[in-house]
Amino acid sequence: MDQFKGQPRLPKFAVPKRYDVRLQPDLVACCFSGSVAIDLDIVAPTSYIVLNAAELSVSDDAASFTNRDSSKVFKPSRVELFEQDEILVLEFPDALPIGLGVLTIQFDGILNDRMKGFYRSTYEHNGEKKNMAVTQFEPADARKCFPCWDEPACKATFKITLDVPSELTALSNMPVIEEKINGNIKTVSYQESPTMSTYLVAVVVGLFDFVEDHTSDGVKVRVYCQVGKANQGKFALYVAVKTLELFKHYFETPYSLPKLDMIAIPDFAAGAMENYGLVTYRETALLYDEQHSAAANKQRVAIVVAHELAHQWFGNLVTMEWWTHLWLNEGFATWVSYLATDSLFPDWKIWSQFLHETTEGLKLDGLAESHPIEVEINHAHEIDEIFDAISYRKGASVIRMLQSYLGAECFQRSLASYIKRHACSNAKTEDLWAALEEGSGEPVNKLMDSWTKQKGYPVVSVRVNNHKLEFEQSQFLSSGAHGEGHWIVPITLCLGSYDVCKNFLLQEKTETRDVNELFGSQIPQEIGPRSWIKLNVDQTGFYRVKYDEGLAARLRYAVEKQLLSATDRFGVLDDLYALCMARKETLTSLLALMGAYREELDYIVLSNLITISHKVERIVADAIPELLDYIKQFFINLFQFSAEKLGWDPRPGESHLDAMLRGEVLTALAVFGHDLTLDEASRRFQAFLEDRSTQLLPPDIRKATYVAVMQRTSKSNRFGYESLLKVYRESDLSQEKTRILSSLASSHDPDLILEALNFMLSSEVRSQDAVFGLAVSVEGREVTWSWFKENWEHLLKTYGSGFLITRFVSAAVSPFASFEKAKEVEEFFATRTHPSVARTLKQSLERVHINASWVQNVRNEQHLAQAVKELAFGKY
C-alpha cells in the first residue's frame, strides 16, 4: 500500500462515472453517517482501488466492489485510510476485472466547526441557538464528506439523497424530485446532476426564508437566508436574474441547470463558493439592507454574485484540469464580474475601480516570493495558498490586457467558442490561448506565456532623446533588486491628447522609436514643454512605467490641470509610489506629485491616494518621527478639498461613488487626527447611541465615525469602545458587525488594542470575522505581534486547515519595518513551520525587509524635511 503514499495525484486505473450519495446529518450530536455507490470503470489491471477520504471512519467490512457483467462481489482484504495523504486504499485478494462495476462504501464523520468539508454553522431562531449543516468542498474537501476521486478532472454525475429532520429545508445542486416523511425524519431525493467535479457538490440543511424570481427562459432563481431576513435578499436576486441573462448571451450558451439557489451562511470562510446550482455566500456578500448597508456593501454584493455566476460557465461547465490552472477559474470570473456589473450599473464606473484589482496583483507580484500565475501543485495542502491576488487579480488583469489588445468583439467570440468546445469537460490554459489565437489570428500563446509561466512583471522606462523615444524593460521588484524576467509587453501611449494614441509590442529589452514615425501625421506641430506623454493608457497593461525627469514633470502638470483621465491619474501616482518604495525615486518627488492631487474628486484616484498616504505616514513614523506631525498635516490639507465638497450628509441624487468616497475621506481625516472631523464624528455618534434610526449617521459614514471615535478612546477613557461593543451586540446585520470589528483596534492605546484583539477570539465573534479586527494602528504593531505569538497554537488549531490563517500571519508580520524584527519573526517560526503558511510567511518577511530598506533610504534623503514642512504649510 505504501506505493500510493506521497503522490500528488490519484492513480488512473479506476475512473468514476456516477456517484449515488446518501447522507444523514445529526444536527444535535454534530455528526453524520452516509453511504456512497460509485459507478467505476476499471481501465487497467489492478488489485487496488485508491480514492480520497479524510476525517471519515470506514470499517473493514464497509466496502465492496460488484462487477457489472458477472455480478460478482469483491470484498477487500484490507481497508486503510492514510490521513496524511487523505487517501483510502482498498486492497483486494484478486485482480479486479477490467470494465464497469459499482464500489459501495459506508462511512461516518463529524460535522466539524472549521468551515470546510461537511460542517456546522450556528444561528438563532426565536432566541434559541441552532445548528445548520453546510458543505464547502473547494479546493479538496469533498473527501471529508464522502470517499471520492476528489480531483477536478475526475468529473462524474451525482445523485444525492438526504435524511433530515422533517421541519428543515434541505438543498442540494439539483431540484428535489421526491420527499418522503417518516415520523420526524424526511428523505429528500434530488435529480441527478450533469457531469461535474466533486468540489462543486453542495448540501445545506437548516431553517430558511427565501425570495424567488425566474429568468426569461424559465430558470427558477432563489435567494435563501435566515428566517426574517428575506427582504435583504432582493437586491442579490435582481442581480442574479439579470446576470444569468447577460452571461447566456455573452457565452452564447444557456445556463445548464433548471434552478439556481443562492444562500447566505452565517459561518463561511471565503466570500462565496460557486457550487453548481447552489451557490453559498457569507451574509455580507449576499444580503443588502436598504436601511443599514452602505453603498460599498451594495457594490460588493453585485460583484460577488456576478463572480460566482460567471463560474457556472467558467469553472463548472468548463473546469480546469488541475489546480495549476486555478487562475483560469478565478482570474476569469473576477474579470467578467466587472463586465456584468458595468452592464447592470453603468453609473458605478466599475472598470475604473478594476484598478484596485490590478494594484493588489502588482503589489503581490512585485515580491521575489511571488509565484507564476500557473503554479505547480504537488499536494492538496498547497492549494489554499494560491487562492491569492496572483490567481484572482493578476489573472484578471492579464485577461483584461489581452482583451484590450485583441479587441472586445473578437475576444467574446473566441471565448464563446472555447466554452462550447470544452463544455462538460476539462481545460488547460493552452486550450484558452488556442481558441483566442484561432479567433484573432494573433500569436496569443507566445504573447501570454511570458505572463503566465513566469512570476513578476516589467517596469518600462521611457526617456526622450532628441526626437526619439527610448524604451527599456526590466523586471520590477519592490525590493529594488535586479530581476531576470523578460516579457512581450503591449505598449499603448498618448502624446499630449487622447486623440494622438499608438500601440505596439515591446519585444526586446530595449527599443527606440522615432516620434515622427510612431505618430506620423497625428503628431502636433510642436512638442512643447507642456506636451505630456503617457504610457499604458487607462492602465489596461499589467506593468509599471518610469518616466525621465522631463516627462515626469509634464505629467505632474497634466495631473494638476486634469488633462488626464481618472484611470491615468491613478496610474501616474501608483507607479511613482511603487518606484519610491523600491528606492528608484525619492519620497520628495512622490510627495510633490501627491500635492498635484489636492483638488482631486474622482473616487478611484482619491481612494488610492488615501491608501498611499497611510503607507507613507507609517514609513515616516519609523524613519523620521519628528516629521510625523508635518506629514499628517500635509495629508489633512490634501483631503480637505474633497471633504468640504462631499460634506457629512448625503445629497439628494448623489452618485454611488460619492457615497463611497465620503466614508473613505472622512476615515482618512480621522486617522490623520483632524480635530474638526473627530469632533463632528463624536457628536453624530452620540446622536446615534440615543437613536439608532437617526439621520445623522447613515451607513456610508458609520465606519468613518467608528474609527474616529476610537482615535480618542483609551484604557482610561473607554466610553467609545464600550459603546461600539454595545452596538455590535445589538446588531444582527453582519455588515454592521464587520464595520465595528474593523474599527475596534484603531485606538492609539496598546492596552486597549490588546483588549480588542482578545475580543476577536471570544465566542462573540464568528471565527471567520476575527481577521477584520487585525487592522491596527502603528502603535498596535508590537502588541499585535505579542498577541499573535501567544495565541499561535489556538490560531493554528482554529484556522490551520484553511486560507484564513494566512491573513493572521500577514497582518501580524508585514507592518514591521526593521531587519531586527524580521530576524525575530524568523526565529519564532523556525520551530513552528506549517505548510499552509509557508509561502505567506516568506512574502510577509520580504515586505518587512522592503519596509526596512525604504526607511533607511528616507532617513538619508536630502531636502526631505524642508519639503515636508513646506507642504504642511500649503506650499505646493
Side-chain angles (χ1 to χ4, degrees):
M1 283 189 170
D2 285 354
Q3 64 181 303
F4 303 115
K5 291 162 75 173
Q7 300 299 315
R9 308 275 290 260
L10 291 169
K12 300 275 195 292
F13 38 64
V15 179
K17 297 294 183 184
R18 177 184 186 270
Y19 291 80
D20 193 332
V21 182
R22 185 161 188 163
L23 296 169
Q24 184 167 4
D26 183 330
L27 297 176
V28 178
C30 297
C31 59
F32 64 92
S33 57
S35 63
V36 62
I38 309 169
D39 290 8
L40 278 187
D41 190 1
I42 305 294
V43 295
T46 180
S47 53
Y48 293 94
I49 291 179
V50 184
L51 66 165
N52 293 114
E55 298 174 22
L56 297 174
S57 55
V58 180
S59 61
D60 285 353
D61 60 350
S64 65
F65 178 78
T66 307
N67 177 258
R68 181 68 53 87
D69 294 334
S70 66
S71 300
K72 183 180 175 183
V73 178
F74 294 78
K75 284 279 188 185
S77 54
R78 192 170 158 209
V79 176
E80 194 87 45
L81 183 66
F82 294 102
E83 275 297 347
Q84 194 172 351
D85 293 283
E86 300 185 340
I87 55 171
L88 178 67
V89 181
L90 311 177
E91 183 177 1
F92 295 86
D94 303 307
L96 300 173
I98 301 283
L100 298 174
V102 179
L103 173 68
T104 57
I105 305 173
Q106 275 85 40
F107 52 89
D108 297 289
I110 301 294
L111 283 177
N112 70 74
D113 60 354
R114 299 196 312 277
M115 297 180 285
K116 59 195 309 187
F118 200 14
Y119 74 92
R120 65 184 185 268
S121 173
T122 59
Y123 63 105
E124 273 196 14
H125 181 65
N126 295 335
E128 189 186 343
K129 196 173 179 182
K130 291 181 174 289
N131 291 321
M132 64 175 75
V134 187
T135 56
Q136 168 58 39
F137 291 164
E138 190 183 26
D141 291 309
R143 62 192 68 179
K144 291 189 170 84
C145 182
F146 57 95
C148 57
W149 275 255
D150 202 8
E151 295 181 0
C154 299
K155 284 189 159 186
T157 60
F158 292 83
K159 176 86 179 68
I160 308 286
T161 305
L162 300 175
D163 297 307
V164 300
S166 52
E167 75 279 8
L168 300 183
T169 301
L171 302 171
S172 187
N173 306 82
M174 300 297 290
V176 174
I177 47 170
E178 187 181 42
E179 270 193 23
K180 284 184 187 164
I181 295 182
N182 182 7
N184 59 358
I185 294 289
K186 67 178 174 185
T187 299
V188 187
S189 304
Y190 302 87
Q191 279 181 32
E192 189 163 325
S193 77
T195 304
M196 64 193 231
S197 302
T198 49
Y199 78 87
L200 294 167
V201 175
V203 165
V204 180
V205 181
L207 275 176
F208 304 103
D209 274 348
F210 67 85
V211 285
E212 177 181 310
D213 200 355
H214 292 79
T215 63
S216 61
D217 48 356
V219 176
K220 185 193 286 183
V221 183
R222 284 182 174 180
V223 174
Y224 285 86
C225 52
Q226 285 186 61
V227 174
K229 293 187 175 184
N231 274 343
Q232 294 176 27
K234 286 181 176 174
F235 176 67
L237 181 65
Y238 166 81
V239 172
V241 170
K242 294 286 187 192
T243 301
L244 284 179
E245 304 270 8
L246 183 112
F247 288 157
K248 177 179 76 173
H249 294 296
Y250 190 80
F251 298 126
E252 297 175 12
T253 302
Y255 173 67
S256 50
L257 301 188
K259 63 94 175 173
L260 172 73
D261 293 331
M262 308 198 299
I263 184 163
I265 306 296
D267 299 281
F268 197 79
M273 174 60 211
E274 68 267 20
N275 315 299
Y276 223 167
L278 176 55
V279 185
T280 44
Y281 295 80
R282 268 187 190 225
E283 289 193 338
T284 51
L286 187 68
L287 305 184
Y288 174 73
D289 182 317
E290 290 285 351
Q291 295 301 113
H292 299 289
S293 297
N297 300 132
K298 187 176 193 177
Q299 182 175 297
R300 173 161 163 73
V301 169
I303 287 177
V304 176
V305 168
H307 179 107
E308 302 311 323
L309 299 200
H311 277 310
Q312 306 302 307
W313 284 263
F314 230 95
N316 300 8
L317 187 61
V318 180
T319 311
M320 70 217 151
E321 193 277 333
W322 180 239
W323 299 104
T324 293
H325 307 280
L326 171 70
W327 86 277
L328 274 181
N329 274 18
E330 299 304 348
F332 191 86
T334 301
W335 175 79
V336 86
S337 68
Y338 280 77
L339 189 86
T341 307
D342 185 54
S343 175
L344 294 184
F345 307 103
D347 57 319
W348 289 5
K349 297 181 184 169
I350 206 75
W351 278 118
S352 73
Q353 293 185 63
F354 183 83
L355 294 179
H356 274 322
E357 305 283 354
T358 304
T359 301
E360 287 305 308
L362 289 166
K363 277 181 188 168
L364 181 51
D365 210 27
L367 299 180
E369 291 291 349
S370 179
H371 62 83
I373 281 179
E374 293 184 57
V375 61
E376 282 305 315
I377 294 294
N378 295 310
H379 194 286
H381 290 150
E382 296 172 12
I383 306 169
D384 268 325
E385 272 203 304
I386 62 162
F387 281 81
D388 63 4
I390 301 298
S391 299
Y392 284 73
R393 288 157 163 175
K394 181 181 182 180
S397 300
V398 298
I399 285 167
R400 182 171 184 238
M401 177 166 70
L402 182 60
Q403 187 231 21
S404 178
Y405 177 70
L406 297 178
E409 281 183 33
C410 160
F411 193 76
Q412 180 271 324
R413 280 197 315 273
S414 305
L415 276 182
S417 137
Y418 164 84
I419 292 279
K420 288 172 192 163
R421 186 176 301 164
H422 298 283
C424 299
S425 81
N426 296 81
K428 298 181 177 181
T429 303
E430 290 75 16
D431 298 318
L432 178 59
W433 295 162
L436 288 163
E437 202 157 293
E438 204 176 286
S440 68
E442 293 281 347
V444 175
N445 203 51
K446 181 185 172 197
L447 173 66
M448 296 311 290
D449 267 4
S450 70
W451 296 96
T452 63
K453 293 192 185 302
Q454 64 177 340
K455 65 185 175 186
Y457 57 88
V459 53
V460 176
S461 300
V462 58
R463 55 193 289 264
V464 177
N465 191 353
N466 294 324
H467 237 57
K468 290 185 166 51
L469 289 175
E470 295 175 352
F471 301 92
E472 181 182 359
Q473 65 156 299
S474 58
Q475 184 173 354
F476 177 84
L477 286 165
S478 296
S479 63
H482 176 72
E484 296 300 324
H486 185 99
W487 289 262
I488 299 175
V489 190
I491 298 287
T492 50
L493 69 162
C494 279
L495 174 58
S497 155
Y498 286 97
D499 297 328
V500 186
C501 272
K502 279 291 165 199
N503 60 295
F504 67 92
L505 288 179
L506 177 64
Q507 306 207 44
E508 304 304 322
K509 191 166 173 52
T510 59
E511 291 185 25
T512 301
R513 299 287 171 121
D514 187 284
V515 175
N516 292 318
E517 286 175 19
L518 196 59
F519 290 99
S521 60
Q522 282 189 305
I523 202 159
Q525 285 298 304
E526 186 185 335
I527 302 178
R530 295 277 160 82
S531 295
W532 48 270
I533 291 177
K534 170 70 176 65
L535 267 67
N536 195 10
V537 179
D538 285 329
Q539 300 303 110
T540 55
F542 194 78
Y543 57 92
R544 298 218 178 266
V545 182
K546 185 179 190 300
Y547 298 92
D548 71 21
E549 213 171 304
L551 290 175
R554 293 177 191 185
L555 278 173
R556 191 160 61 243
Y557 172 82
V559 165
E560 205 156 7
K561 298 299 177 192
Q562 301 255 323
L563 301 174
L564 302 180
S565 66
T567 44
D568 280 332
R569 295 198 302 278
F570 176 105
V572 169
L573 175 65
D574 202 61
D575 283 349
L576 189 66
Y577 163 64
L579 289 161
C580 182
M581 184 191 293
R583 311 188 316 283
K584 303 296 183 190
E585 296 281 3
T586 62
L587 182 56
T588 307
S589 65
L590 175 63
L591 295 172
L593 177 64
M594 290 171 83
Y597 291 83
R598 60 192 174 276
E599 294 189 0
E600 183 61 63
L601 287 171
D602 184 86
Y603 170 76
I604 189 68
V605 183
L606 270 172
S607 182
N608 198 37
L609 191 65
I610 289 167
T611 302
I612 291 170
S613 301
H614 289 310
K615 179 69 178 182
V616 169
E617 180 210 10
R618 287 188 166 217
I619 290 298
V620 169
D622 282 322
I624 316 169
E626 59 271 23
L627 288 182
L628 191 55
D629 286 344
Y630 294 103
I631 205 89
K632 284 183 177 180
Q633 187 55 52
F634 167 51
F635 292 148
I636 287 168
N637 297 346
L638 205 50
F639 301 119
Q640 282 283 265
F641 180 81
S642 51
E644 284 166 15
K645 286 274 186 193
L646 292 163
W648 279 80
D649 298 301
R651 296 185 309 280
E654 74 177 2
S655 74
H656 165 82
L657 291 172
D658 278 355
M660 291 210 302
L661 182 57
R662 178 178 295 109
E664 291 196 28
V665 169
L666 291 173
T667 303
L669 285 173
V671 170
F672 293 132
H674 184 234
D675 285 324
L676 291 177
T677 300
L678 297 175
D679 292 344
E680 182 62 11
S682 180
R683 182 182 79 83
R684 288 171 181 262
F685 185 59
Q686 194 56 51
F688 176 67
L689 293 178
E690 289 162 16
D691 173 15
R692 293 289 196 274
S693 56
T694 177
Q695 297 294 302
L696 285 174
L697 205 62
D700 291 310
I701 61 167
R702 281 193 202 162
K703 169 78 184 289
T705 302
Y706 299 162
V707 169
V709 165
M710 286 308 300
Q711 299 303 299
R712 290 177 172 171
T713 306
S714 63
K715 197 81 172 165
S716 57
N717 174 23
R718 303 174 53 84
F719 175 74
Y721 180 76
E722 297 294 349
S723 301
L724 278 175
L725 286 183
K726 186 171 189 293
V727 177
Y728 177 88
R729 286 166 179 145
E730 289 172 5
S731 176
D732 72 337
L733 183 70
S734 299
Q735 289 159 350
E736 179 73 346
K737 284 183 177 290
T738 54
R739 270 198 287 266
I740 293 167
L741 292 176
S742 61
S743 308
L744 281 178
S746 51
S747 161
H748 297 287
D749 182 342
D751 291 338
L752 195 59
I753 292 169
L754 179 59
E755 199 173 321
L757 291 169
N758 286 331
F759 178 71
M760 299 303 151
L761 298 185
S762 73
S763 59
E764 291 191 69
V765 178
R766 292 186 185 272
S767 56
Q768 75 204 16
D769 292 334
V771 288
F772 289 110
L774 301 174
V776 300
S777 60
V778 180
E779 295 88 346
R781 286 183 304 190
E782 284 295 344
V783 75
T784 304
W785 171 236
S786 299
W787 170 86
F788 175 87
K789 288 188 292 184
E790 207 169 295
N791 290 285
W792 172 243
E793 292 303 324
H794 170 76
L795 294 172
L796 202 54
K797 184 166 174 278
T798 310
Y799 302 100
S801 59
F803 71 93
L804 284 172
I805 188 76
T806 64
R807 307 284 169 87
F808 285 92
V809 173
S810 179
V813 176
S814 299
F816 286 110
S818 79
F819 298 112
E820 296 73 30
K821 185 57 72 173
K823 201 166 184 313
E824 183 189 322
V825 172
E826 280 174 10
E827 284 165 4
F828 174 78
F829 277 105
T831 55
R832 296 172 178 85
T833 49
H834 194 268
S836 65
V837 299
R839 192 188 297 273
T840 304
L841 178 61
K842 285 177 182 172
Q843 290 167 349
S844 301
L845 283 166
E846 187 180 349
R847 286 198 167 102
V848 177
H849 281 274
I850 289 164
N851 290 342
S853 299
W854 192 8
V855 163
Q856 280 188 350
N857 210 52
V858 167
R859 277 186 192 139
N860 298 330
E861 196 172 309
Q862 292 184 327
H863 313 303
L864 176 65
Q866 184 187 341
V868 168
K869 288 172 185 175
E870 285 178 0
L871 289 166
F873 292 116
K875 294 179 185 173
Y876 296 103

